[in-house]
Amino acid sequence: MSRFWRPGSERPQPSSLSVLEDDEPGFLPFSTLASNSSYGYGGLERHRQRLPVFKYRTAILYLLETHATTIIVGETGSGKTTQIPQYLKEAGWADGGRVVVCTQPRRLAVQTVASRVAEEMDVKLGEEVGYTIRFEDLTKSAVTRIKFLTDGVLLREMMDDPLLSKYSVVMVDEAHERSLSTDMLLGLLKKIQRRRPELRLIISSATIEAKSIAAFFNQSKKKLPASRDFGPSREPAILSVEGRGYDVQIHFLEEPVSNYLQAAVSTVLDIHNQEPMGDVLVFLTGQDDIDAAVQMLTDEAQNLAAHRSGLLVLPLYAGLSRAEQELVFSPTPRGKRKVVIATNIAETSLTLEGMVYVVDSGFSKQRFYNPITDIESLVVAPISKASARQRAGRAGRVRPGKCFRLYTEEYFESEMPLEGIPEMQRSNLVSCVIQLKALGIDNILGFDWLASPSPEGMIRALEVLYSLGILDEDSKLTSPTGFQVAEMPLDPMLSRMIISGSQFGCSEEMIIIAAFLSLQSIWVIGRGTQKELDEAKQGFAVAEGDHITYLNVYKGFLLSGKSSQWCHKNLINYQAMKKVLEIREQLHKLVQRLGLVLKSCGQDTQVVRKAITSGFFAHACRLESSSHGGMYKTIRTSQEVYIHPSSVLFRVTPKWVVYHSLVSTDCQYMRNVIAVDSSWFTELAPHFFQI
Ligand code: ADP
Ligand code: MG
């Protein structure tokens, strides 16, 4: 059993009992916990008025009236996201055909928040309240008054409507997350404000970084035409919403653990065995470790004696079906203890009611890009102190709670960074550059950034875009390719691959592949053993690689009449396949709109692999040794990379490959790999492979 101690109390001797046992309960009775979904409409109204932000309703509306920019800082759960857009609508900001828009960094947050607001307003989602995420638009242009969307989608909307003229108020939510798109958006909105003095901005955040954002948006010293001297103050207003969180006792591990997954599972079991009722929120890093933990806990729960069971274990990450999402938010049945195992989406974006215990692994999945090696990968990395505080705060929403940190206090104090690094400074900038170029911003390093991207990263991005034929020698978008790529809501390498597909006569295959690559995985994880899964995959696998294997899965699915039984039998996730169909459909429309040729190449897999290579040549690798599932080196920078065990090429190890993405754990693994011919590199990307 992992040992925790509480700072401020005497550090337990190695032989003494864990502090888990000597805490007085003294909680509110569990039955008083409000679970929203069981409220009637009148109940929801009362719930709204009890939220901390309600006391500030008038103040918020006044500041909005008098200031171009208002920054609102408030504890997670205080009602910023769900309430403020409703206040704005009630006050008339959505009258006369105008729309109030609110951005979120994450898609899942967009969906759940929009549906919550629709429920509170007692309207059908997609009518007065709607949302837009990539590949899914649930709004009606003449009807929707409050719209939630991802920050990335709002950036795309700027291409058609650079001044965002439909919107009266833009609320940039979760600004503390500093996602790449949020940072771009803030810079662009500042420009728009100069052209549209009537536009109002709300920037909301869970942590106090308000001063630097306020300084960024302070336009009061800039000279504007005299005619603009009336109207709202150009100095931003800052408002802090007093939260009403309860105390959370923090417990650290006495000794570091090497396996945070195992530690998380045993901590949940300890809580279940020793602590009074109350739900548990566990922070892990991604689908893989969350599914594993759910499985381990479900197995354990079955082994527990009948009177002890009562654990309801649920995952929470992007890509869950609607039904799975709803389970997480629905009230915990009487006598049960809900355990939600989540990514850092539950840190500030979503509010889960009734959480009393938090288990914090201390890690999250983060994107890191190294401009020297030109490698971007998803890495399980330590979180910051700011994140750790937010995570702990989730335990004190409805009554005093406890947070169990799966790391030591020494580690927290001396090694955890104070704050995370903005995504801007740890991402590949290729998409960012194209989007800014498409918006007419040529001098990207000179752009007004909240935090500047690294010059090396920028140079790398320009280089790659030039060799993809998206930018010309003067760093302008090429026509038509550059402009077409900018129109596609995809990674530019994928877009380039689709455009090549239309030139090579295999665009139908390319959009199917692009749809598959947009999903995490199409295989069912958790049901059946690894061996069974491997066998299921073998039914479709080909030596050309994963992309071609996906084409076979797609054909099989269509032949089966899109049957869910067929998916079940082949350990394929039916929901994921439905998503593939949907995305393929969307891409089909897009490709038609761009005037690209839609054609299938039939059985010719060589032309398919060539088209993929023309988008992904920067990810070309050569086999160095065939042991350990094949050790490869990237051609560009000679980095060691390996084929991921989930790839159909894991045991095939062709001489030359191109990968789609890298994940790093103990080493860099290539996911979604195809075998290629080295002569294609110089043919398809001569600038890139001069040597
Ligand atoms: P903030 O944006 O300040 O973090 P929210 O507006 O998201 O806060 O949430 C305010 C309150 O609304 C929460 O405390 C919770 O009670 C309720 N709530 C929000 N989303 C949901 C949901 N999907 N289901 C049930 N209740 C919700
Ligand atoms: Mg929020």
Side-chain angles (χ1 to χ4, degrees):
M1 181 171 96
S2 320
R3 288 187 172 282
F4 291 93
W5 73 290
R6 175 153 49 104
S9 66
E10 202 176 317
R11 185 188 281 271
Q13 297 305 308
S15 61
S16 80
L17 290 171
S18 142
V19 284
L20 282 178
E21 275 129 327
D22 44 52
D23 281 318
E24 329 90 279
F27 297 122
L28 301 173
F30 188 53
S31 56
T32 61
L33 294 188
S35 66
N36 334 299
S37 314
S38 54
Y39 289 152
Y41 180 60
L44 273 177
E45 203 43 51
R46 248 174 290 134
H47 167 86
R48 288 191 61 198
Q49 293 176 5
R50 277 205 297 264
L51 289 172
V53 73
F54 182 70
K55 282 205 282 277
Y56 299 83
R57 187 179 184 279
T58 318
I60 292 170
L61 292 173
Y62 172 75
L63 290 178
L64 201 76
E65 204 65 61
T66 49
H67 292 75
T69 307
T70 304
I71 297 162
I72 300 180
V73 182
E75 185 62 41
T76 302
S78 53
K80 300 181 299 297
T81 314
T82 55
Q83 304 307 306
I84 295 172
Q86 294 188 68
Y87 300 163
L88 300 180
K89 179 175 173 293
E90 289 154 9
W93 286 95
D95 292 352
R98 296 181 301 171
V99 178
V100 168
V101 75
C102 173
T103 71
Q104 297 288 316
R106 296 190 173 83
R107 299 205 241 174
L108 181 54
V110 170
Q111 292 172 307
T112 49
V113 162
S115 82
R116 172 67 182 181
V117 172
E119 187 190 352
E120 288 187 6
M121 287 172 57
D122 202 17
V123 297
K124 190 163 164 266
L125 183 61
E127 307 267 320
E128 258 178 292
V129 179
Y131 72 80
T132 313
I133 56 179
R134 191 173 69 145
F135 302 131
E136 193 177 338
D137 181 12
L138 217 66
T139 60
K140 276 207 186 112
S141 56
V143 182
T144 302
R145 299 275 72 92
I146 298 180
K147 175 164 157 184
F148 291 91
L149 38 59
T150 51
D151 40 19
V153 167
L154 190 60
L155 279 178
R156 299 228 141 252
E157 287 193 357
M158 276 187 201
M159 289 192 196
D160 293 328
D161 180 7
L163 294 180
L164 295 174
S165 53
K166 288 192 295 263
Y167 303 130
S168 55
V169 184
V170 177
M171 172 162 163
V172 179
D173 203 2
E174 300 278 302
H176 64 273
E177 286 240 352
R178 302 297 303 276
S179 79
L180 180 57
S181 298
T182 297
D183 270 22
M184 287 168 66
L185 208 53
L186 292 176
L188 290 162
L189 284 167
K190 184 172 167 184
K191 276 183 182 290
I192 294 179
Q193 259 185 339
R194 279 186 221 134
R195 307 269 302 274
R196 273 192 66 198
E198 82 286 5
L199 174 72
R200 296 297 196 278
L201 287 187
I202 295 182
I203 296 160
S204 52
S205 147
T207 53
I208 336 237
E209 205 206 319
K211 289 226 177 71
S212 61
I213 295 188
F216 181 74
F217 276 98
N218 192 347
Q219 312 220 25
S220 61
K221 295 197 184 65
K222 289 239 165 58
K223 268 216 154 329
L224 285 187
S227 60
R228 302 251 176 100
D229 264 0
F230 307 101
S233 160
R234 285 177 277 127
E235 206 170 321
I238 301 180
L239 179 94
S240 311
V241 176
E242 295 282 326
R244 52 124 207 244
Y246 293 88
D247 280 350
V248 176
Q249 279 179 7
I250 306 286
H251 300 265
F252 288 99
L253 278 184
E254 288 174 44
E255 298 291 333
V257 287
S258 54
N259 183 342
Y260 68 83
L261 183 58
Q262 189 61 55
V265 168
S266 57
T267 304
V268 171
L269 292 172
D270 289 350
I271 292 172
H272 188 52
N273 289 333
Q274 302 172 14
E275 294 283 331
M277 278 308 233
D279 293 347
V280 187
L281 175 59
V282 184
F283 287 99
L284 293 182
T285 70
Q287 183 171 349
D288 301 352
D289 59 4
I290 292 175
D291 283 335
V294 169
Q295 188 67 47
M296 284 154 83
L297 278 169
T298 313
D299 291 349
E300 285 288 344
Q302 273 163 4
N303 295 337
L304 288 176
H307 68 281
R308 277 238 162 130
S309 166
L311 271 185
L312 179 66
V313 187
L314 300 168
L316 179 62
Y317 45 74
L320 291 177
S321 70
R322 173 77 42 104
E324 288 171 307
Q325 288 173 28
E326 269 163 20
L327 267 183
V328 171
F329 291 97
S330 61
T332 310
R334 213 166 238 299
K336 292 257 181 191
R337 190 198 293 274
K338 185 154 76 180
V339 179
V340 176
I341 309 188
T343 59
N344 61 351
I345 185 150
E347 197 173 287
T348 59
S349 313
L350 295 178
T351 310
L352 296 171
E353 283 303 276
M355 292 297 159
V356 181
Y357 307 99
V358 162
V359 178
D360 172 14
S361 65
F363 289 101
S364 70
K365 238 180 218 165
Q366 297 165 31
R367 196 168 288 290
F368 278 98
Y369 174 69
N370 177 341
I372 311 292
T373 57
D374 191 29
I375 281 185
E376 179 179 64
S377 50
L378 268 181
V379 184
V380 172
I383 58 168
S384 65
K385 285 198 177 80
S387 285
R389 292 209 177 90
Q390 283 295 335
R391 289 180 173 192
R394 303 289 68 76
R397 293 266 312 119
V398 288
R399 67 184 205 208
K402 292 182 185 181
C403 172
F404 298 91
R405 291 179 170 161
L406 302 178
Y407 39 91
T408 63
E409 191 180 24
E410 289 75 11
Y411 171 80
F412 174 79
E413 290 299 343
S414 53
E415 285 179 52
M416 243 189 199
L418 211 54
E419 266 168 358
I421 306 168
E423 205 177 45
M424 170 69 60
Q425 294 169 339
R426 53 181 168 86
S427 303
N428 176 329
L429 297 169
V430 165
S431 300
C432 162
V433 169
I434 297 185
Q435 279 187 317
L436 291 180
K437 293 272 175 194
L439 291 170
I441 291 159
D442 277 326
N443 177 3
I444 294 183
L445 275 176
F447 183 68
D448 197 0
W449 298 105
L450 202 52
S452 311
S454 80
E456 295 82 13
M458 199 52 84
I459 289 165
R460 279 286 183 182
L462 293 172
E463 231 174 71
V464 169
L465 289 171
Y466 174 68
S467 48
L468 282 165
I470 293 170
L471 292 182
D472 63 17
E473 284 94 345
D474 305 324
S475 283
K476 296 246 184 315
L477 285 178
T478 55
S479 180
T481 304
F483 284 95
Q484 287 168 336
V485 168
E487 286 271 320
M488 295 181 159
L490 293 171
D491 178 291
M493 291 163 117
L494 274 178
S495 308
R496 176 69 243 211
M497 167 190 114
I498 293 175
I499 293 172
S500 298
S502 103
Q503 289 153 359
F504 298 176
C506 58
S507 47
E508 293 280 5
E509 282 74 16
M510 287 305 116
I511 59 178
I512 295 167
I513 290 172
F516 274 93
L517 293 174
S518 303
L519 300 177
Q520 272 258 340
S521 168
I522 54 148
W523 305 101
V524 174
I525 305 167
R527 188 165 63 81
T529 60
Q530 188 58 44
K531 188 162 159 281
E532 284 167 332
L533 186 59
D534 285 344
E535 278 166 13
K537 267 189 205 175
Q538 280 314 314
F540 304 95
V542 283
E544 285 109 324
D546 295 300
H547 303 63
I548 311 288
T549 303
Y550 290 142
L551 290 177
N552 290 340
V553 171
Y554 186 79
K555 275 181 214 144
F557 183 57
L558 290 194
L559 276 178
S560 78
K562 305 178 190 168
S563 135
S564 62
Q565 278 108 327
W566 180 86
C567 288
H568 189 82
K569 196 177 96 220
N570 290 294
L571 293 183
I572 288 169
N573 181 338
Y574 177 60
Q575 296 302 332
M577 287 309 295
K578 285 211 306 207
K579 201 83 212 159
V580 166
L581 291 182
E582 257 173 62
I583 299 176
R584 195 208 77 102
E585 188 60 36
Q586 300 270 344
L587 290 176
H588 207 273
K589 285 197 197 121
L590 179 75
V591 164
Q592 271 173 329
R593 187 159 60 79
L594 292 176
L596 295 170
V597 184
L598 268 164
K599 210 169 159 227
S600 164
C601 60
Q603 302 300 321
D604 186 355
T605 69
Q606 168 153 335
V607 76
V608 168
R609 286 180 295 136
K610 264 181 120 163
I612 296 168
T613 307
S614 78
F616 286 86
F617 54 80
H619 292 176
C621 304
R622 181 181 43 221
L623 181 68
E624 296 286 318
S625 112
S626 0
S627 55
H628 307 109
M631 193 271 270
Y632 287 78
K633 283 201 171 158
T634 61
I635 300 186
R636 218 31 211 317
T637 56
S638 291
Q639 290 298 301
E640 256 182 43
V641 292
Y642 295 81
I643 295 186
H644 194 274
S646 70
S647 168
V648 299
L649 295 187
F650 183 56
R651 290 195 181 77
V652 182
T653 61
K655 178 121 202 273
W656 300 92
V657 297
V658 163
Y659 67 84
H660 177 69
S661 61
L662 288 179
V663 281
S664 63
T665 46
D666 41 340
C667 55
Q668 302 276 5
Y669 282 110
M670 305 184 264
R671 285 197 59 186
N672 294 314
V673 189
I674 49 160
V676 297
D677 187 321
S678 63
S679 69
W680 300 347
F681 298 145
T682 42
E683 178 190 333
L684 296 167
H687 321 289
F688 208 73
F689 293 99
Q690 281 146 356
I691 15 152

